[in-house]
Every structure is written in structure tokens, then in C-alpha cells.
Amino acid sequence: MKITKTKAFFFFLITFILTNHSFAQKVAGYSFDKYPAKEIYKGKKVKVNLRSSNIANSHRTQIINQYNESKIDFGGKYSFIFWGAGTGLTLGVMVDNKTGNVYDLPLTEENSTRGFCGYDISEEDNKLYKKNSNLFITFTWSCEENKITKTNVITKNYSIFIWDEANKKFSLLKNKTEKKTEKITSK
């Protein structure tokens, strides 16, 4: 059976999705459980405070619309709002459901551009988080095919962040690169 780039991509994507569900607690050596949110907010969602962030006014419609439909995604009380910024780049903010304040997410071209072997992926696929944790992980990935050795080298560059609730900011814990070589099988 000949493995085409498309088949290899879908195999990797399915493997990635299944792997993420099975090891959702640990990514790049980090456990979401080690960075717990103090509590999960159960009160009423308040109106977005667009004056709380410089970026909020320039993306006000996107933020308000997504926030109104959102649930708590992170840190026990925050909803994530994402938008595409061209060429596979995702940017975003998070909104505090308790106060309505908007905070920038640590998303840059270096840590949130999506894509794999020339294919785009959903803007949700390269950001990992849990509603009961203050750990936020982003990654970029690339694939380099070696036709001589008939292998793909898959590189993931992780950026691991922790949300500091007291100071209301993200801190970078570590950048980490993982490489994996896969044999391309053919008839």
C-alpha cells in the first residue's frame, strides 16, 4: 500500500487527536494537574469590559460574540477568544467571567502558527489548556520529508506558560522542542 502525503497527514492527525485525549494530563512533560485553578467560578457571566485591554477595542465584535457563546475554558473562570490573523497565525484574549476584564494571550508567530506538512489545522488544535488549570501550552509543528531515507521528521516546538492569577499575567516556564522520525511506508 502506497502512503501518500495526504494519508500520512490524516494518520498523524488521528494519532495526534487520540494521543491528546489519552495523555491530556501530561504534555511535553508538564501535567495540567500540577497547576490547578483555585476554584471554578459558578456565578453569572458579567459583561465584557472592553476598556480593560488595548487589544479589546480593535477586536470588540469578535470578543463580544464569542464571549456571549463561551463557557469557562481556563484557570477556573476565563473564556478564551481566538481569531485568525492570516497565514495560519492565531491570536486571542481571555475574558474573566467574574469581572469581564480582558487579558492578552501569549500567542505570537513563533508559538501559535498552525500547519503541518503544508496542511492547515483548526485554530484550536495547537493550544492546550483545561478549565481547572493555570497551565497553557502552545506549539508549532513542521514536517520535513527525506525522500532518500523515506522518512518524515516531525518537529514540535512547545511554549509552556503559567497564568499568575495574583499578577494577572502569563509567565513562560519553558520552550521545548521534540522531534520524531517516522518511516514512510510504500508498496
Side-chain angles (χ1 to χ4, degrees), residues 79-91:
S79 295
F80 281 149
I81 312 299
F82 299 115
W83 57 86
T87 63
L89 176 63
T90 300
L91 297 177

Side-chain angles (χ1 to χ4, degrees), residues 21-128:
H21 288 291
S22 64
F23 78 84
Q25 294 298 316
K26 204 163 201 176
V27 177
Y30 285 82
S31 172
F32 289 94
D33 294 339
K34 287 190 177 184
Y35 303 91
K38 290 188 185 210
E39 62 183 274
I40 304 294
Y41 178 65
K42 297 189 187 317
K44 185 177 179 184
K45 187 188 290 191
V46 301
K47 184 178 174 184
V48 175
N49 178 2
L50 293 171
R51 293 185 178 153
S52 62
S53 165
N54 291 334
I55 200 168
N57 267 325
S58 58
H59 296 280
R60 68 184 303 126
T61 303
Q62 188 77 273
I63 291 169
I64 290 169
N65 289 344
Q66 285 188 46
Y67 176 66
N68 288 340
E69 301 296 320
S70 72
K71 60 187 181 339
I72 293 176
D73 296 309
F74 176 79
K77 63 179 181 172
Y78 298 96
S79 295
F80 281 149
I81 312 299
F82 299 115
W83 57 86
T87 63
L89 176 63
T90 300
L91 297 177
V93 296
M94 65 182 191
V95 180
D96 185 328
N97 284 260
K98 191 174 184 178
T99 66
N101 289 340
V102 178
Y103 301 95
D104 294 348
L105 291 175
L107 299 173
T108 66
E109 187 175 334
E110 290 78 28
N111 71 14
S112 74
T113 303
R114 48 193 197 280
F116 176 75
C117 294
Y119 297 92
D120 284 337
I121 60 172
S122 162
E123 60 191 46
E124 297 296 322
D125 290 339
N126 66 331
K127 291 170 292 312
L128 307 170

